[in-house]
Amino acid sequence: LWVVRRLRAGEPVAFLTRIHPFIYRRMGWELLQMCRDKGVAVTAYGAVSLTELAGCRAVEGGAPADADAVRVFDIAWLNRHPELLRPVDPTVIYCIGDDKERPRLVRLLRRSYPASGGAYLLGGSGDREDQAPWVPWRKLGLSLRLGDIGCVLYVPAARAKRSPLKAGGAPLVRLHGLGTRVPEETTLETLAALGDSPAAFAALGAGAPWRRLRALCPGLRRTGSPGSVIAAARRHGEAVVAIPGGALFDGGFSARLLAACRKGGVAARVTPSVSPVGSAYARAQFCLGDDYGYQGIAACSARRLLSEPDLQTPLLPLVTYGAVGTRLIPPQAAPAVPDPRRP
């Protein structure tokens, strides 16, 4: 109400949320509905969400980078729609639910994946909120029972082989995402890293995003070669490289770079960024929540969708990404209506 009153008084207002404004942010949802009811125009920008954070920590822990398809679910909704789980692709699950939902989820995952598998469990809050250790299926039930209410699971593809990155020491490669819209969605953390590093690179073509970024970071160099980044890291002790989108959705450079780091014994750190999923959701003003908005997201590269059109389902919004840009295709099903009995 305070925001809307300021707007009606003719004042420009910016509303900031922790992490993403429309992913498990009831206040963001309610503000959006209020603005629509009052005829107030809203412009939304993507932000780093726990989807990207969980994915980056999973990549550091050995999950493959650069997924060309991923699905994101609310735990209760996935338990009601188990047919939408695709073990051939990575899955992110927000585990906000009652005491019955987490055991049901564990049973579903153990039925759907090889017995030797497991998932990366992002803490959610507290002093370990940005850590995502690997948890095998046999221990997942206890880990979820003891876990924070806001914990998130990153489940890699069933056939994915784990190959953890070297965690620390020199030389070190720091991998950052630039977001989908550069530099509007490029995080301050990424800009600061590029500006401070003596060996800063961007995997960009010579277009407008490169010119804008170079104006902010004059020492930046373009690269398309993982070898040049690793050579600079060996020379300077550390190198920073920024890629379009983020490590989970960049079209292949991050996977090649991290494979070269593993082969060369070079430590690597993956920093979360605004992904095509977060960007498209914000621009379309869609919400992901437990009892409001939608309860799942499908995302895939445009190339993958052309070869597998069944990746699109009438129950989920679909985000496509790739060289042709980012697009959100609305689902056929209507979003959930908030439960007025829920506080």
Side-chain angles (χ1 to χ4, degrees), residues 1 4 7-8 31-41:
L1 288 173
V4 172
L7 287 168
R8 297 182 73 176
L31 177 61
L32 179 62
Q33 302 309 307
M34 189 176 295
C35 287
R36 287 173 175 172
D37 292 343
K38 302 294 184 180
V40 176

Side-chain angles (χ1 to χ4, degrees), residues 209-234:
W210 162 252
R211 292 193 295 271
R212 293 171 186 165
L213 196 61
R214 182 67 184 276
L216 295 170
C217 308
L220 194 62
R221 289 171 281 175
R222 287 193 297 130
T223 185
S225 166
S228 63
V229 176
I230 291 177
R234 294 188 188 281

Side-chain angles (χ1 to χ4, degrees), residues 193-280:
L194 293 174
D196 293 343
S197 175
F201 299 87
L204 286 173
W210 162 252
R211 292 193 295 271
R212 293 171 186 165
L213 196 61
R214 182 67 184 276
L216 295 170
C217 308
L220 194 62
R221 289 171 281 175
R222 287 193 297 130
T223 185
S225 166
S228 63
V229 176
I230 291 177
R234 294 188 188 281
R235 188 164 55 251
H236 297 280
E238 178 179 308
V240 176
V241 59
I243 56 178
L248 298 180
F249 313 97
D250 80 304
F253 182 80
S254 64
R256 297 196 303 273
L257 175 61
L258 295 178
C261 288
R262 291 186 182 98
K263 183 177 180 180
V266 175
R269 184 73 175 169
V270 185
T271 301
S273 60
V274 182
S275 72
V277 177
S279 176

